[in-house]
């Protein structure tokens, strides 16, 4: 989970001018067994420095691609994606803080969170006051290293626990941050399970955030397990797409390069922070009242009595923002296990977000919930008119004009391909059974088609 940000227009030239030549990828040793479990994937990938465009992110995505058929899309540094711009690849070779006697106090080798993600390089002696202007601590956990990023700001920075910072009493310290920025490609993984219809439902999760599990490696592994299950099904009505990406900028890149798919995206679900035993939190789409919103909310609330359904603008806010944004308007919801009243979870954005603090039973339960949601989505019937204007009922032999005229009038004016049978019944004041009966008659007359072939 991260704050919003974007480049100014002039930054495009700066990026391309300042980025160095493409670097040879640093190899990370990632060993995943065939058909790895969610826990195995998490334990193998969590500590990798998965910054938004980095060798660590690429290595993690490549490892996941060995688990399930995946297409990896690449978008080059400097490319505009709507109002966003693909950033440079960032590499941290070495970083540490030491006193002037040469005693090393902490280093990037100990934990990737010790360096601000996308920090500028720095090498020199600094006063304690200057150091503290660039040294970040967690706001609530005194023993934890915070996760801090400055993707689109130009500054250097280190991170440590508050307890360690409180012990830094010397007048001066030595800082080394050996980082570089280079031309590369941002990568998005896509897994597709085709259905009878090309209209699709999306799942989405972000793979970035170094050295952490819940935000959002937990969402990634749940999505992979769900897609594994869907690939075994013989017939699905909808096509399902799961996209794995760097937060926010990945969604901008994917959507801007797949604008032809946007009209076929009926809805979606962002998966994040599912590794705690908190009740599920469902955030509705911006519209909030689509057939998919109602269907998903019904499944979530029936399954867990403590589950909460919140409107779109309630935190946490993540990539569902990009999908619901102007010019796109895909009604994407989000599913998480965060604290009520807008809280995240105790270890949020910290070095305490580890496998030891993950609840793997909760992750499995979230996977099962998503599969139940998909079962419910598969059962949605969205009737669409195959005619224009008001129907001349007397022309059709199966329609009893005298007894059905009023009902047909009500149904046809609410039928738009977005409302379900339940929605039409609610709008018209008719029973669901009566609406379905008349729609079936109209289908036999060639007046109605469904969102998917039945």
């Amino acid at each position: 989970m991260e704050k919003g940000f974007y480049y100014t227009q002039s930054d495009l030239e700066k990026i391309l001018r300042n980025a160095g030549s493409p670097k040879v990828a640093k190899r990370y040793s990632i060993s995943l067994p065939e058909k790895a479990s969610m826990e195995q994937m998490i334990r193998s990938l969590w500590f990798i420095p998965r910054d938004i465009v980095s060798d660590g992110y690429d290595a993690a995505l490549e490892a996941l691609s060995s688990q399930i058929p995946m297409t990896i899309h690449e978008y080059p540094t400097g490319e505009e994606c709507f109002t966003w711009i693909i950033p440079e690849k960032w590499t941290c070779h070495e970083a540490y803080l030491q006193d002037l006697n040469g005693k090393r106090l902490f280093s990037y080798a100990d934990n990737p969170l010790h360096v601000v993600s996308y920090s500028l390089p720095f090498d020199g002696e600094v006063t304690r006051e200057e150091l503290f202007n660039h040294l970040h601590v967690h706001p609530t956990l005194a023993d934890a290293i915070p996760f801090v990023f400055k993707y689109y700001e130009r500054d250097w920075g280190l991170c440590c626990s508050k307890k360690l910072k409180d012990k830094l009493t010397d007048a001066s310290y030595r800082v080394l941050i050996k980082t570089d920025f280079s031309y590369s490609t941002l990568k998005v993984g896509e897994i597709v399970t085709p259905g009878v219809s090309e209209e699709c439902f999306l799942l989405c999760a972000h793979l970035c955030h170094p050295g952490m599990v819940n935000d959002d490696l937990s969402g990634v592994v749940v999505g992979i397990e769900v897609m594994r299950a869907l690939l075994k099904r013989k017939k699905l009505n909808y096509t399902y797409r799961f996209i794995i990406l760097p937060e926010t900028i990945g969604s901008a890149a994917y959507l801007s390069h797949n604008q032809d798919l946007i009209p076929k995206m009926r809805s979606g679900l962002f998966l994040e922070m599912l590794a705690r035993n908190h009740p599920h939190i469902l955030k509705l789409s911006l519209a909030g009242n689509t057939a998919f919103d109602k269907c998903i909310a019904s499944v979530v609330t029936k399954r867990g009595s403590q589950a909460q359904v919140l409107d779109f603008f309630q935190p946490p806010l993540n990539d569902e923002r990009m999908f619901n944004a102007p010019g796109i308007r895909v009604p994407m919801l989000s599913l998480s296990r965060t604290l009520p009243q807008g809280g995240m979870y105790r270890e949020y954005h910290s070095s305490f977000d580890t496998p030891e603090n993950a609840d793997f039973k909760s992750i499995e339960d979230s996977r099962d919930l998503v599969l139940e949601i998909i079962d419910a989505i598969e059962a949605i019937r969205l009737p669409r008119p195959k005619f224009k204007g008001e129907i001349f009922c007397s022309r059709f032999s199966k329609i009893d004009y005298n007894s059905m005229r009023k009902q047909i009038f009500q149904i046809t004016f609410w039928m738009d391909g977005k409302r379900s049978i339940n929605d039409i019944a609610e709008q018209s004041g008719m029973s669901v059974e009566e609406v379905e009966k008349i729609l079936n008659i109209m289908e036999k007359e060639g007046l109605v088609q469904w969102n998917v072939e039945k």
Side-chain angles (χ1 to χ4, degrees):
M1 182 69 202
E2 64 189 48
K3 300 175 184 177
F5 46 73
Y6 53 89
Y7 278 135
T8 61
Q9 182 64 29
S10 63
D11 283 326
L12 176 58
E13 290 79 14
K14 293 179 183 177
I15 286 174
L16 294 175
R17 183 172 62 249
N18 295 333
S21 302
K23 306 291 183 180
V24 176
K26 177 182 177 181
R27 304 307 299 174
Y28 289 88
S29 178
I30 302 176
S31 178
L32 285 178
E34 186 178 354
K35 298 179 181 179
S37 68
M38 291 189 290
E39 182 171 354
Q40 287 172 322
M41 286 187 278
I42 283 174
R43 291 191 180 278
S44 297
L45 300 178
W46 78 278
F47 204 63
I48 299 294
R50 293 169 280 110
D51 302 280
I52 56 175
V53 182
S54 65
D55 293 332
Y57 176 95
D58 293 353
L61 188 61
E62 182 181 347
L64 292 172
S65 71
S66 71
Q67 297 296 303
I68 191 168
M70 180 189 298
T71 300
I72 297 179
H73 305 282
E74 301 190 33
Y75 309 108
T77 295
E79 184 167 273
E80 292 187 85
C81 304
F82 301 140
T83 62
W84 294 69
I85 299 172
I86 303 297
E88 311 97 319
K89 170 184 170 182
W90 181 76
T91 304
C92 182
H93 301 280
E94 183 183 16
Y96 56 78
L97 176 71
Q98 67 182 31
D99 63 23
L100 298 188
N101 293 320
K103 180 182 178 182
R104 193 162 297 187
L105 304 171
F106 62 78
S107 76
Y108 182 78
D110 302 329
N111 192 305
L113 297 184
H114 274 306
V115 178
V116 169
S117 184
Y118 273 66
S119 169
L120 291 174
F122 186 89
D123 185 359
E125 183 179 316
V126 296
T127 64
R128 181 174 180 269
E129 181 180 4
E130 183 180 359
L131 172 65
F132 279 19
N133 288 333
H134 297 270
L135 186 60
H136 305 269
V137 299
H138 197 277
T140 59
L141 301 173
D143 289 321
I145 308 163
F147 170 50
V148 179
F149 52 88
K150 292 183 181 289
Y151 302 142
Y152 303 109
E153 302 173 46
R154 296 310 185 209
D155 196 7
W156 66 269
L158 296 171
C159 302
C160 70
S161 70
K162 184 178 183 303
K163 284 190 175 180
L164 193 155
K165 182 181 177 182
D166 289 343
K167 295 177 181 178
L168 300 178
T169 58
D170 293 354
S172 298
Y173 291 89
R174 168 78 194 288
V175 173
L176 173 70
I177 304 175
K178 188 178 179 183
T179 59
D180 64 44
F181 297 78
S182 59
Y183 183 91
S184 188
T185 58
L186 178 150
K187 296 177 177 61
V188 173
E190 181 179 34
I191 303 161
V192 181
T193 302
V196 173
S197 171
E198 291 184 355
E199 293 188 337
C200 62
F201 185 87
L202 289 100
L203 298 173
C204 182
H206 62 73
L207 181 60
C208 56
H209 290 21
M212 285 175 283
V213 171
N214 199 26
D215 185 12
D216 182 34
L217 195 52
S218 64
V220 170
V221 299
V222 165
I224 286 178
E225 277 287 275
V226 168
M227 295 304 287
R228 281 172 167 171
L230 294 183
L231 285 168
K232 295 177 182 177
R233 298 193 184 183
K234 293 183 178 180
K235 186 174 181 180
L236 290 164
N237 292 322
Y238 287 100
T239 292
Y240 292 86
R241 297 176 183 273
F242 177 40
I243 48 178
I244 303 171
L245 38 72
E247 188 174 357
T248 308
I249 182 62
S251 290
Y254 178 83
L255 286 166
S256 66
H257 286 80
N258 290 280
Q259 296 188 56
D260 59 320
L261 280 178
I262 292 175
K264 299 175 184 177
M265 296 176 182
R266 298 310 303 271
S267 186
L269 188 64
F270 190 84
L271 306 172
E272 69 168 334
M273 297 185 278
L274 298 170
R276 294 294 180 271
N277 60 0
H278 306 311
H280 283 106
I281 302 286
L282 178 71
K283 265 190 344 93
L284 299 174
S285 71
L286 178 66
N289 62 350
T290 70
F292 291 91
D293 283 271
K294 294 175 182 178
C295 172
I296 296 170
S298 175
V299 174
V300 171
T301 54
K302 285 180 181 177
R303 194 170 188 275
S305 60
Q306 293 183 306
Q308 287 188 296
V309 178
L310 305 177
D311 67 39
F312 176 76
F313 290 104
Q314 296 296 313
L317 292 169
N318 215 301
D319 286 63
E320 68 274 7
R321 299 169 308 182
M322 192 69 71
F323 284 84
N324 284 277
I328 303 170
R329 296 301 194 217
V330 175
M332 178 172 278
L333 301 80
S334 76
L335 182 70
S336 65
R337 287 181 180 271
T338 50
L339 293 167
Q341 287 81 49
M344 297 301 179
Y345 56 97
R346 180 178 177 272
E347 302 85 5
Y348 177 67
H349 276 194
S350 83
S351 57
F352 288 179
D353 189 352
T354 66
E356 287 65 39
N357 285 322
D359 186 327
F360 290 99
K361 289 185 178 179
S362 292
I363 297 176
E364 293 173 359
D365 180 65
S366 295
R367 172 204 59 200
D368 295 342
L369 174 58
V370 175
L371 287 170
E372 287 181 27
I373 288 170
I374 289 173
D375 288 339
I377 288 169
E378 285 288 292
I380 294 177
R381 302 185 77 195
L382 302 177
R384 291 179 177 176
K386 294 178 69 176
F387 57 88
K388 294 181 180 180
E390 187 176 352
I391 295 175
F392 178 36
C393 295
S394 299
R395 179 180 174 183
F396 302 96
S397 60
K398 293 181 175 62
I399 296 177
D400 184 341
Y401 176 78
N402 291 323
S403 65
M404 297 169 60
R405 178 178 63 86
K406 182 178 179 180
Q407 294 93 324
I408 287 177
F409 181 83
Q410 286 278 349
I411 291 170
T412 56
F413 276 86
W414 291 117
M415 181 172 54
D416 59 3
K418 297 180 181 179
R419 290 180 172 87
S420 67
I421 294 174
N422 293 59
D423 293 332
I424 294 171
E426 182 180 341
Q427 294 279 359
S428 65
M430 300 166 61
S431 69
V432 172
E433 292 74 19
E434 189 176 10
V435 171
E436 188 166 23
K437 177 183 176 181
I438 291 176
L439 284 171
N440 287 335
I441 292 172
M442 294 175 68
E443 181 184 19
K444 291 176 182 177
E445 291 285 9
L447 296 168
V448 171
Q449 65 181 359
W450 301 96
N451 61 315
V452 288
E453 184 180 324
K454 294 291 176 181

